[in-house]
Structures are given as C-alpha cells and as structure tokens.
C-alpha cells in the first residue's frame, strides 16, 4: 500500500515523518547514517549526487559542486552553475540546475528513507512567495511525489496540539528560528480548529548568521594572540564555530584549539561574548515579535502559549527574550527540529484518511485549518494622476494581507479609452500595501484582447480566488463580451518539464 508522509524541506536541514500504527507522527532516519534530520546540501558528482552531511563534507574539497540553502532561491529564476559555483540569473544560456531540480534531489533522498511513498505534505514558510510555492510543487513533481503544501507554523501547531499533556486553546504564538530564517506566526486555536491570524519574518536571519559572528570572534582572538588572521572562508572553521555555538547553549564558556596560519591557539568564548556579538539579530527578533503582536492587534497578555520551532530556539538568550516580551515561558520539552515534519505527517494523514487504519484515523480526526493570505495580491491599473496631470500606472490591491483562506474577491475596473485594443492582465505580490509599482513583484502577466469597439468606461472585472493550499486562480474579464484571461499560479517554470526531469538522471546517495 502506498504511504503518505510529511516533509519539512528546510533551508539548512530537512526531515521526513509518517504516522505510526497508533497515529503518532514518527520521524524517519536516514537508513545509512541514522540521522533523523538531513542537511539540505547537494553535491553534484560526475554521475551521482550526494545529499546530506556527506555533501557538506565534500564542499571542503569541491566547494563549487555543493549547493547549500537552495530554499532561499526558490522564488528566483536562477540556475546553479557548477562551473562558477553560484546561482546566476537564468538567461537561457547558463548550464546547470534550477532550484526546483536541486530541491527535488533532496526530496528524492528523503523519500527513500521508507518505501512506497507516493503522496506527501510538504511544509513551506508562511511568507513563501507564490513563485517559491510553485517551484516547490514542481520539485515534488520532479521527484514523482503527489503533494500538498502546508505552512510551517500551521504544521507546528498541529504537532503541538497532538502531543499528550499539551492543550492549546486561545491565541498562540509560533516562534520559528532555524538555520537560515526567522518566522513568527500568531494563530487562534480552538480544540482542533486552527485559525492563522498573521505571520511576519525575516528570510535572512538564523543560526548560520550566529555561526558567522562566532567565527568573527575566533578570528579577532586568534589575531590578537598570533598577529595574523585565520581564513574565515574555511568551511571546517564554520563547523567549529557551529559546534561552539551549540555548546554555549548549555555551557557558560567554551575553549577550543583553533588551527591557523601561525599554528594552533587555545581560544575561549563565553556565552556573554556570544550574546553581545549577536545583539543586532536579537534586536531584530524583538522588533518582529512586537510587529506580529501589532499586526494581530493583540497584547502579549492575550497570547496563551508560545510554541518553539527550529534548532536556534535552544539558545538560552532567545528563550529569555521570549519570556520577557510574552511575560511567560514558552512550552518546553518538544523536539524543535522535528515539530514541523511531524505536523506535516499529521496533516498528510488527515488529507488521506482512506490510507489510515482505525487507530490512526481516531488520532488525527477533526482538525480544521484556516490559513491567511500572507501578502497583498494586486493588479496593475492605469489611473489619472491629478497632481502630474497625466495617466500613471499603479498597483491596486485585490486581496489584502491576512485575508482568511480560502477566499474569492472581485474588483471592478473600467476600460480606459474608446477602441482600446487590449488590457495587460498582471498579478502582483507585495509585503506592504503598495501603490508604487517599484515596490511590488509581478508574478504573472498576460494580455487580453478586448472586443472590437470597446468603449471608455466599459466594465472590466478581476477575480482572485485563493485556496488553502496557497494556490491562486485569477480571472480578468471584459464584462460585455465575456472575454477572459485566466491565470493559474500553479506549478511550472518557463522550462520544459520533461527536459528538467531528464537532466536529473542520477544515482542519489
Ligand atoms: P533548523 O533549520 O530548524 O533545523 O535549525 C538549524 C539551526 O539550529 C542550525 O543553525 C543549528 O546550528 C542550530 N542549532 C541546533 N541545535 C542548537 C543548539 N543546541 N544551540 C544553538 N543552536 C542550535
């Protein structure tokens, strides 16, 4: 029988989980290494690909052939070039791999931790752009997985609410600080009904930034002792920095022998030194927590519980900050690396009840999820600017941020001039409520030919429908002629799918 699984496709680490016979989520280990979380690193060999910790090791000798943090590129039209060892804008000439192809290799590796996986639920950040969601769907298709997407904080809530002894009720704040990203979501939980209220975050804030600060401290101290700098681009020193950071989560001080150009030196780093080195990141974290509360129009006292997600929440100062702002300690004792994958496995079970036994069905029953749209989705229109006394193009919001999903919203516009031949139908996405076209992303754009003899003021309507999966369907319609342009923001890049799949003919280790 084919299985359903949940997958956390993370920036630095990924994990896969399934429901055990009693309906409890269980993280699957890599059968070879025994690791429960897999480093999201991909090494491209001659005719094989290595995914995970070994790929990271290979980067010491072949740095250009190893891809890290592909998740950050999912929203971009880029290609990873093995000859230059970086992502480059896709101009159609560069040889290499798309972010969706690289992610598909990570998915294929995870899928092989068990047998007969056909269906999966993959988690994505609440603030993942439309293009990044499409690229994730494409990656799944490339690895022959039939998938649904769920937002990471929602998956975390599902996991926490399924744990024995934890009862989530009222408003909860999900604090997710991983290796590369930081997200805060506020949700309202009533029994097994989860309503997301808002999400805010920073795509470039995480444990790896803290590793860099430790490396910087090591460098300064080495230079002071020996008079010469260490090579801060040396990957093995990054590993040492990460190790020191992790030890400082339980110890007040760590001593390490650092090899440098002037021989070894014993260097001490204290927790206090580490904390002050990451001060600007901590301030950003505080600011984003306040912003999330403001957006949700809530005070800290209105939040019943804080749920932790991501490895970097093990840093003591991080939980202290949470305690200070929320005036209450977060829930402890949950494996923060696995919460998202486990929640995804629960959701996969809910969505595929026909594949569950009766105990599993009972365990995952009655969960209801309501997510929100995390961006402003709009369209470009032309309006008369009275100040400039001319026509200008502006962005007009169709679906406001934090609108509950699923939703369908129609806005009415008009044909601009007599005998207008066509209308440019564009779908835009922005983090703020922007009118200025400079600050928005155009995520789809197609023309619609109008009927002959269209008149100024003829009605034209735009309908955006957004499902819980995060997929949007947009209809642009000239009302009188019923001529339509439909834009479906589902998987697919401009590349040929068959070609993408054929160029992935590798053995995966
Ligand atoms: P995630 O992306 O959620 O898997 O989180 C990975 C990040 O968590 C990496 O940057 C790790 O270095 C960091 N991390 C894991 N364990 C600890 C720990 N005990 N103390 C500090 N950071 C940690």
């Amino acid at each position: 029988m084919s299985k359903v699984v949940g997958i956390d496709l993370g920036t630095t680490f990924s994990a896969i989980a399934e429901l055990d016979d009693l309906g409890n989520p269980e993280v699957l280990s890599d059968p070879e290494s025994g690791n429960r979380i897999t480093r999201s690193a991909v090494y491209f060999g001659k005719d094989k690909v290595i995914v995970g910790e070994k790929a990271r090791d290979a980067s010491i000798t072949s740095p250009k052939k190893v891809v890290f943090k592909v998740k950050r590129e999912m929203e971009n039209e880029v290609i990873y070039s093995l000859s230059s060892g970086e992502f480059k804008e896709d101009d159609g000439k560069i040889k290499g791999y798309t972010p969706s192809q690289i992610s598909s290799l990570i998915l294929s590796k995870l899928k092989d931790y068990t047998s007969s996986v056909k269906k999966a639920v993959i988690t994505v950040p609440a603030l993942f752009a439309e293009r990044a969601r499409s690229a994730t769907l494409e990656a799944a298709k490339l690895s022959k997985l039939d998938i649904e997407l769920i937002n990471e904080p929602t998956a975390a809530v599902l996991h926490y609410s399924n744990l024995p002894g934890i009862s989530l009720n009222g408003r909860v704040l999900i604090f997710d600080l991983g290796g590369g990203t930081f997200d805060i979501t506020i949700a309202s939980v009533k029994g097994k009904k989860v309503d997301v209220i808002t999400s805010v975050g920073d795509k470039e804030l995480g444990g790896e930034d803290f590793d860099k600060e430790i490396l910087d401290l090591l460098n300064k101290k080495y230079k002071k002792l020996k008079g010469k700098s260490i090579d801060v681009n040396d990957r093995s020193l990054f590993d040492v920095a990460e190790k020191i950071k992790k030890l400082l989560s339980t110890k007040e001080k760590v001593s390490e022998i650092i090899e440098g150009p002037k021989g070894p030196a014993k260097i001490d780093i204290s927790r206090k030194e580490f904390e002050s080195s990451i001060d600007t990141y901590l301030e950003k974290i505080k600011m984003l927590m306040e912003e999330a509360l403001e957006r949700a129009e809530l005070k800290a006292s209105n939040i019943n519980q804080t749920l932790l997600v991501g490895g970097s929440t093990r840093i003591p100062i991080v939980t202290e900050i949470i305690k200070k702002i929320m005036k209450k300690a977060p829930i402890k004792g949950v494996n923060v690396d696995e919460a998202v994958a486990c929640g995804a496995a629960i959701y996969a079970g809910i969505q595929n009840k026909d594949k569950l036994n009766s105990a599993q069905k009972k365990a995952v029953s009655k969960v209801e999820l309501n997510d929100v749209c995390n961006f402003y989705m709009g369209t470009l229109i032309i309006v008369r600017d009275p100040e400039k006394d001319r026509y200008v193009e502006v962005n007009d919001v169709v679906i406001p941020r934090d609108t509950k999903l699923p939703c369908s919203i129609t806005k009415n516009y008009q044909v601009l001039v007599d005998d207008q031949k066509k209308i440019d139908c564009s779908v835009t996405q922005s983090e703020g409520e922007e009118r200025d076209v400079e600050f928005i992303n155009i995520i789809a754009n197609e023309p619609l030919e109008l009927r002959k003899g269209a008149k100024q003021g003829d009605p034209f309507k735009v309908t955006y429908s957004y499902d819980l999966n995060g997929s949007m369907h947009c209809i642009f319609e000239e009302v009188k002629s019923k001529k339509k342009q439909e834009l479906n923001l589902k998987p697919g890049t401009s590349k040929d799918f068959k070609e993408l799949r054929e160029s992935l003919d590798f053995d995966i280790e």
Side-chain angles (χ1 to χ4, degrees):
M1 191 172 177
S2 68
K3 280 184 194 155
V4 292
V5 295
I7 296 177
D8 170 7
L9 189 58
T11 311
T12 41
F13 289 99
S14 296
I16 177 168
E18 66 175 349
L19 293 181
D20 68 12
D21 287 344
L22 295 173
N24 298 313
E26 182 182 37
V27 172
L28 305 171
S29 310
D30 177 350
E32 206 189 301
S33 66
N35 291 339
R36 290 162 70 86
I37 54 172
T38 298
R39 197 171 281 276
S40 308
V42 180
Y43 164 77
F44 285 90
K46 215 163 176 217
D47 37 34
K48 84 167 173 187
V49 154
I50 301 175
V51 177
E53 213 56 50
K54 274 197 198 163
R56 191 191 202 220
D57 296 344
S59 73
I60 293 172
T61 48
S62 317
K64 290 183 181 171
K65 297 211 163 112
V66 185
V67 191
F68 293 98
K69 288 189 260 188
V70 62
K71 189 169 174 177
R72 281 194 177 162
E73 302 295 337
M74 294 297 268
E75 64 184 284
N76 300 325
E77 243 178 79
V78 290
I79 297 277
Y80 187 85
S81 149
L82 291 176
S83 56
S84 62
E86 59 187 342
F87 281 101
K88 290 191 160 174
E89 213 162 296
D90 184 9
D91 60 0
K93 291 182 200 136
I94 299 166
K95 277 193 148 185
Y97 298 94
T98 66
S100 65
Q101 282 182 305
I102 298 164
S103 290
S104 82
L105 295 166
I106 302 173
L107 288 175
S108 296
K109 164 93 178 177
L110 295 167
K111 193 175 117 174
D112 276 352
Y113 291 177
T114 181
S115 55
S116 330
V117 176
K118 286 264 161 21
K119 284 195 162 189
V121 166
I122 298 182
T123 59
V124 288
L127 297 170
F128 228 24
E130 212 52 52
R131 218 182 256 159
R133 287 174 195 267
S134 296
T136 307
L137 291 167
E138 184 171 82
K141 210 168 148 197
L142 285 167
S143 55
K144 301 194 180 94
L145 275 173
D146 180 6
I147 67 153
E148 263 189 69
L149 301 180
I150 176 177
N151 287 340
E152 286 160 8
T154 316
V157 171
L158 281 184
H159 176 54
Y160 271 85
S161 60
N162 241 48
L163 290 171
I166 294 184
S167 145
L168 295 184
N169 253 321
R171 272 106 180 201
V172 296
L173 183 141
I174 303 107
F175 183 103
D176 181 353
L177 185 59
T181 52
F182 173 51
D183 290 295
I184 296 184
T185 297
I186 296 179
S188 152
V189 184
K190 279 189 203 113
K192 294 217 164 175
K193 184 170 180 285
V194 183
D195 269 304
V196 173
I197 301 170
T198 193
S199 284
V200 300
D202 188 332
K203 282 186 274 188
E204 310 264 320
L205 198 173
E208 295 205 347
D209 299 302
F210 308 157
D211 300 342
K212 278 193 203 129
E213 295 301 328
I214 298 237
L215 196 55
D216 201 39
L217 278 177
L218 290 175
N219 188 29
K220 279 186 191 138
K221 292 193 174 208
Y222 186 91
K223 203 171 168 192
K224 201 168 170 199
L225 285 170
K226 300 278 187 181
K228 213 166 174 202
S229 297
I230 51 173
D231 177 6
V232 288
N233 293 317
D234 179 347
R235 202 143 252 295
S236 59
L237 283 174
F238 266 97
D239 292 349
V240 175
E242 188 185 14
K243 187 179 119 191
I244 294 173
K245 174 189 73 178
K246 287 185 177 175
L247 285 170
L248 286 172
S249 291
T250 48
K251 292 178 163 190
E252 287 292 337
K253 197 177 99 183
V254 174
S255 300
E256 194 68 36
I257 306 288
I258 301 297
E259 293 291 341
K262 292 270 175 150
K266 181 171 166 277
I267 294 178
D268 295 338
I269 294 187
S270 71
R271 189 186 285 174
K272 278 270 161 289
E273 281 175 300
F274 168 54
E275 289 172 356
S276 59
S277 78
I278 60 167
D279 196 48
T280 43
Y281 296 109
L282 299 176
E283 286 304 317
K284 189 84 199 272
I285 288 171
K286 288 182 204 164
M287 233 175 61
L288 286 166
M289 286 182 78
E290 304 285 0
E291 190 186 322
L293 289 168
E294 230 168 80
R295 269 191 177 280
E297 294 176 11
L298 293 171
K299 294 201 187 80
S301 56
N302 301 129
I303 306 283
N304 288 357
Q305 272 138 336
T306 301
L307 318 183
L308 300 180
V309 181
S312 300
T313 58
R314 294 199 180 93
I315 299 172
I317 184 99
V318 170
T319 34
E320 274 166 38
I321 287 174
I322 295 173
K323 233 185 200 164
K324 214 165 172 186
I325 295 182
M326 305 310 294
K327 301 181 179 70
K328 198 175 172 186
I331 297 179
K332 284 258 168 199
V334 171
N335 192 331
V336 291
D337 301 311
E338 298 177 356
V340 166
C342 289
I346 296 170
Y347 191 62
I350 297 165
Q351 298 300 89
N352 296 280
K353 284 223 177 93
D354 54 316
K355 296 200 163 44
L356 305 184
N357 67 30
S358 56
Q360 289 171 324
K361 269 186 199 153
K362 207 170 155 207
V364 299
S365 64
K366 285 196 272 157
V367 175
E368 196 184 315
L369 297 181
N370 289 306
D371 238 310
V372 292
C373 179
N374 290 301
F375 295 91
Y376 289 92
M377 309 303 297
T379 190
L380 297 180
I381 58 168
I382 294 176
V383 292
R384 182 122 199 124
D385 182 332
E387 265 174 37
K388 292 182 185 149
D389 196 25
R390 61 181 168 87
Y391 287 102
V392 288
E393 191 175 41
V394 295
N395 182 49
D396 194 54
V397 171
V398 178
I399 303 182
R401 186 172 171 160
D402 295 336
T403 301
K404 277 201 175 146
L405 302 184
C407 70
S408 182
I409 295 180
T410 299
K411 284 196 85 168
N412 296 305
Y413 301 99
Q414 292 174 352
V415 169
L416 193 63
V417 289
D418 285 348
D419 291 321
Q420 190 169 329
K421 299 275 180 300
K422 69 174 177 96
I423 281 186
D424 266 331
C425 307
S426 38
V427 181
T428 67
Q429 181 172 43
S430 56
E431 283 186 24
E433 193 172 3
E434 297 294 347
R435 248 176 112 74
D436 192 333
V437 294
E438 290 246 333
F439 301 109
I440 46 112
N441 263 330
I442 299 172
I443 58 174
N445 184 300
E446 289 291 335
L448 171 66
E449 302 276 336
L450 297 180
R451 75 185 202 285
K452 273 208 176 101
K455 290 265 174 295
Q456 180 182 22
D458 279 354
F460 188 85
K461 65 179 186 185
V462 174
T463 302
Y464 287 4
S465 309
Y466 217 120
D467 67 18
L468 263 180
N469 220 358
S471 297
M472 207 167 78
H473 184 67
C474 309
I475 305 171
F476 296 78
E477 184 182 355
E478 188 196 6
V479 178
K480 283 193 178 159
S481 66
K482 297 210 162 13
K483 280 183 136 191
K484 279 184 199 163
Q485 176 60 265
E486 298 196 28
L487 302 177
N488 217 347
L489 303 177
K490 270 273 193 183
T493 56
S494 47
K495 299 224 172 300
D496 177 47
F497 184 79
K498 201 165 150 251
E499 238 174 70
L500 286 179
R501 183 177 272 169
E502 277 168 5
S503 62
L504 288 178
D505 188 17
F506 292 112
D507 277 339
I508 301 175
E509 184 181 323

